[in-house]
């Protein structure tokens, strides 16, 4: 049986890195993207290859919507050269940036940047990639617990993630005839370098968020990657059009 291939945006570190490694552990090959952290991306590629799987790192700035057509063309070329195939199996839209911006301080530039990164790029990358996703494939979009509970300063970020959650249901409906599923994974607070390592570098914030969570701690990257790997497995196939919150039970 041929290896299945995943494309993970923002796969050089944090949650995307863990998703890439967990998928590789399950026997899948990985194309991952990075924006500026090329060396970190290549280190992830090396780790995947050490697990016996194929991997490649591609540069992508999801804030540059005009680059998406060329990027998908590059993916097609890589698929042919490295895997001798025309299609891949799993699209994981993970790339993103953090920004804590009080509502009254938000500018149109802030809004447009976060819209491009967290919604518009996902919308159009998915559209452009669908012709080269295999039937019975998977689309997984990463949202946030902040679409359910409010975190001050996240009005733009959470609004874009809310749009992703609605969009995902429409994708599931419109591509279901091809056997492709589309789901959302919505992490709660995670201790990574996301948003300038806001949780990791602020012990008081970390303790407050941990106290709000039924399991008594904030999340780690390793808490998320396995969920994505499960959704890409045969066992996860019947889950479709759903928002899966992975937050340890915060704000219950």
């Amino acid at each position: 049986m041929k290896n299945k291939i995943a494309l993970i945006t923002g796969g050089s570190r944090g949650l995307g890195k863990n998703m890439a490694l967990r998928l590789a552990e399950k026997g899948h090959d990985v194309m991952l993207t990075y924006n500026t952290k090329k060396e970190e991306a290549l280190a992830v590629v090396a780790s995947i290859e050490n697990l016996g799987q194929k991997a490649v790192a591609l540069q992508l700035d999801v804030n540059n919507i005009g680059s998406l057509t060329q990027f998908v063309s590059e993916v097609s070329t890589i698929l042919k050269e490295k895997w001798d195939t025309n299609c891949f199996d799993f699209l994981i839209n993970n790339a993103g940036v953090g920004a804590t911006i009080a509502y009254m301080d938000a500018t149109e530039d802030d809004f447009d940047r976060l819209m491009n990164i967290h919604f518009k790029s996902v919308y159009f990358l998915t559209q452009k990639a669908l012709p080269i996703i295999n039937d019975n494939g998977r689309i997984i979009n990463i949202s946030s617990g902040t679409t359910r509970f409010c975190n001050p300063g996240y009005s733009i970020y959470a609004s874009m993630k809310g749009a992703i959650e609605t969009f995902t249901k429409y994708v599931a409906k419109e591509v279901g005839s091809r056997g492709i599923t589309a789901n959302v994974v919505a992490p709660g607070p995670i201790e990574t370098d996301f948003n300038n390592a806001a949780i990791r570098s602020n012990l008081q914030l970390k303790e407050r968020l941990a106290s709000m969570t039924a399991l008594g701690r904030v999340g780690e990257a390793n808490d998320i990657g396995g969920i994505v790997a499960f959704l890409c497995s045969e066992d996860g196939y019947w889950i479709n059009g759903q928002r899966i919150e992975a937050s340890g039970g915060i704000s219950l």
Side-chain angles (χ1 to χ4, degrees):
M1 186 175 69
K2 292 181 66 175
N3 292 351
K4 293 190 175 180
I5 306 165
L7 171 59
I8 304 173
T9 65
S12 63
R13 53 185 178 158
L15 299 185
K17 173 183 177 180
N18 190 261
M19 294 169 196
L21 294 174
R22 296 297 291 274
L23 283 165
E25 288 170 1
K26 299 294 184 182
H28 303 308
D29 296 338
V30 180
M31 299 178 287
L32 59 94
T33 78
Y34 65 93
N35 184 13
T36 60
K37 305 290 186 179
K38 182 176 181 178
E39 293 305 316
E40 293 183 20
L42 293 176
V44 179
V45 168
S47 295
I48 292 169
E49 291 174 341
N50 286 338
L51 292 169
Q53 303 303 131
K54 293 182 180 180
V56 65
L58 304 171
Q59 198 279 332
L60 175 65
D61 177 3
V62 292
N63 190 35
N64 183 1
I65 304 301
S67 71
L68 296 179
T69 298
Q70 177 58 37
F71 172 72
V72 172
S73 176
E74 184 181 358
V75 168
S76 293
T77 299
I78 291 292
L79 286 169
K80 190 64 179 175
E81 291 178 350
K82 196 170 184 71
W83 283 277
D84 192 26
T85 187
N86 298 315
C87 296
F88 67 100
D89 301 280
F90 314 134
L91 173 62
I92 296 120
N93 288 303
N94 165 75
V97 297
T100 303
I101 306 168
Y103 172 56
M104 293 304 294
D105 296 333
T107 67
E108 284 191 48
D109 286 344
D110 293 329
F111 187 98
D112 290 345
R113 177 169 177 264
L114 289 176
M115 178 178 68
N116 282 344
I117 292 171
H118 289 287
F119 181 49
K120 192 173 182 179
S121 66
V122 175
Y123 189 100
F124 286 105
L125 177 58
T126 302
Q127 182 192 70
K128 294 175 188 299
L130 268 166
I132 58 170
I133 296 177
N134 279 317
D135 289 354
N136 302 311
R138 309 283 199 278
I139 297 167
I140 300 170
N141 296 324
I142 305 304
S143 180
S144 168
T146 56
T147 62
R148 179 178 65 83
F149 53 84
C150 293
N151 188 30
Y154 274 51
S155 65
I156 303 176
Y157 176 86
S159 294
M160 298 310 161
K161 293 300 191 180
I164 284 295
E165 294 180 8
T166 297
F167 163 65
T168 302
K169 290 186 285 186
Y170 275 85
V171 172
K173 189 74 168 178
E174 295 197 26
V175 304
S177 62
R178 292 181 52 194
I180 298 172
T181 66
N183 290 290
V184 166
V185 174
I190 305 288
E191 187 176 7
T192 66
D193 60 0
F194 186 73
N195 198 13
N196 298 313
I199 295 174
R200 178 180 292 156
S201 61
N202 187 331
L203 183 60
Q204 185 177 8
L205 174 62
K206 179 179 175 179
E207 290 177 347
R208 179 175 67 82
L209 293 170
S211 72
M212 296 166 61
T213 303
L215 294 180
R217 65 173 177 85
V218 298
E220 302 170 354
N222 199 49
D223 294 320
I224 305 300
I227 298 167
V228 170
F230 165 73
L231 288 172
C232 291
S233 73
E234 290 302 315
D235 290 335
Y237 180 73
W238 201 237
I239 299 172
N240 194 20
Q242 302 302 305
R243 176 191 187 272
I244 300 171
E245 184 174 310
S247 65
I250 194 169
S251 297
L252 296 177

